[in-house]
Amino acid sequence: MKKTARISIAIALGLASFATLSGLQAAPLQQADKTTEAKDKTAAAKSNDGKDKNTEQKRAEATAEQRQMRDLDEQVQQTKSDVLAISAELNQLEEKLIYPSGTQVAVFVALAKGDQMRLDAVRLQIDGQLVAHYIYSAKELEALRKGGVQRIYVGNVTTGDHQLNVLVDGKLKSGADFNRTEHFTFHKQVKPGLVELTVAGESGSPITFEEL
């Protein structure tokens, strides 16, 4: 009996010691798991912070590039405007040199107000010499119908009287062909000469001449 009791006590002590050792071993493992989890969370937070910073940096760079592109586009447009202005001034200067006011004559063409004829072509002869032959596009015809005026010819003539022959080809709104030839006389003075021709296909005189 005594031996049996001693054996039972020994077993109980052994089990208690094993349980204590198991508890001691489990505690460090749990602590290690918590430490690993904290490290993972910290690393994830740093990674997210890094991604956010990279995204913000990329956005800032994209915005800067867009601003530079807009500035560059504005500079290009301004340069184009400057070039066009300079070109217009050069053309005016060239015109003054080539066509001095004392000998310059310009001829303009317009459609009568409200006239819907299709103006196809206009030919001009000054003193029997062909000086202009112009064929109109659809856009140019539309501009004339809206009240636009076209300078069809500019050149030099001497002072005095000159003969102007005008030949017009087109088609009326009804579909009929329109072909007219008119002869006019204009007097060139020392100042620049300006002549306007108004074409009317369906009302009034077919071609009206006026010195401006």
Side-chain angles (χ1 to χ4, degrees), residues 83 99 113 126 142 154 190:
V83 170
Y99 310 113
K113 185 177 181 181
I126 295 180
E142 186 64 24
V154 59
V190 177

Side-chain angles (χ1 to χ4, degrees), residues 57-103:
Q57 184 178 359
K58 289 180 179 179
R59 288 177 181 174
E61 291 176 353
T63 302
E65 289 179 358
Q66 292 175 354
R67 192 181 300 110
Q68 290 178 356
M69 291 299 294
R70 284 197 300 268
D71 293 342
L72 181 59
D73 184 62
E74 291 177 357
Q75 292 177 5
V76 170
Q77 295 300 326
Q78 184 61 42
T79 301
K80 286 183 179 179
S81 299
D82 294 341
V83 170
L84 290 174
I86 293 172
S87 178
E89 291 178 0
L90 290 175
N91 287 337
Q92 292 177 0
L93 179 60
E94 181 181 12
E95 186 172 300
K96 289 180 180 180
L97 293 173
I98 297 176
Y99 310 113
S101 61
T103 59

Side-chain angles (χ1 to χ4, degrees), residues 111-118 145 172 199-203:
L111 276 180
K113 185 177 181 181
D115 200 292
Q116 293 300 310
M117 75 165 289
R118 189 189 75 192
R145 285 175 175 171
L172 300 179
V199 180
E202 299 177 348
S203 60

